[in-house]
Amino acid sequence: MPPPYDAVLLRAIDIEGKIPRALDALGSLGGREVAVVGGGPHELAGLGDLGASVTNAPVGDASGGLATSALAPESFDLVTARWSAFRDADGAEVADADRILRPGGRLLVVHDYGRDDVSRLRGDLPEYRLWSRRDGPFLATGFRIRVIHCFWTFPDLSAAQEFLRGGFGAAGEAVAATLKRPRLSYNVGVYHRTRGGI
């Protein structure tokens, strides 16, 4: 997303803090060692605020793969990624996460779920269809899913409409024309599993 819209989006996403609270509910972050795959400053600070000791784990390649070779085996209680890795529950990525997780450790992967206003902006993506199916790459390989109903929230209706038009072009214009309040529904899936299985 082009500047300055990327900064506007960062301020608008999940201002209620539902995503970090869901991660805490699924992984008990307080006092835990957490590897965040490709995390930005906002994400790292948010998990730290919940009492986690956070390490920014490197992203391995252009596809967003996990690069854990520099991280010691069994050194983390949780590994989490938001949108940047585990794009299809690739077996090698999950094995890398398992290698750095302690016994009983948790892998928490956040991706868009769809069936919301935001999916109307982004078009037909695999995370909106295949990923949440029982025979999809996550649920068929030992993950469970928790869906979080979040929002992109803006100061007022005109700010939301300006963001949509400038950041998403024709698709944003179409969504902006339907807005009645300064927020968009945004559903997020947290795919979760314990090291080695459910």
Side-chain angles (χ1 to χ4, degrees), residues 13 19 43 81-87 109-112 122 127 186 188:
I13 288 180
I19 296 171
E43 178 181 1
R82 294 192 205 179
W83 303 284
S84 62
F86 303 97
R87 294 291 304 161
V109 180
V110 178
H111 284 300
D112 289 2
R122 301 194 59 219
E127 45 263 60
Y186 181 45
V188 173

Side-chain angles (χ1 to χ4, degrees), residues 138-160:
F138 286 97
L139 301 185
T141 59
F143 283 85
R144 295 185 181 188
I145 185 172
R146 178 174 293 180
V147 179
I148 313 302
H149 302 285
C150 304
F151 299 96
W152 291 5
T153 306
F154 301 88
D156 54 47
L157 189 57
S158 64

Side-chain angles (χ1 to χ4, degrees), residues 17 44 73 89 109 120 167:
L44 299 174
V109 180
R120 294 169 49 206

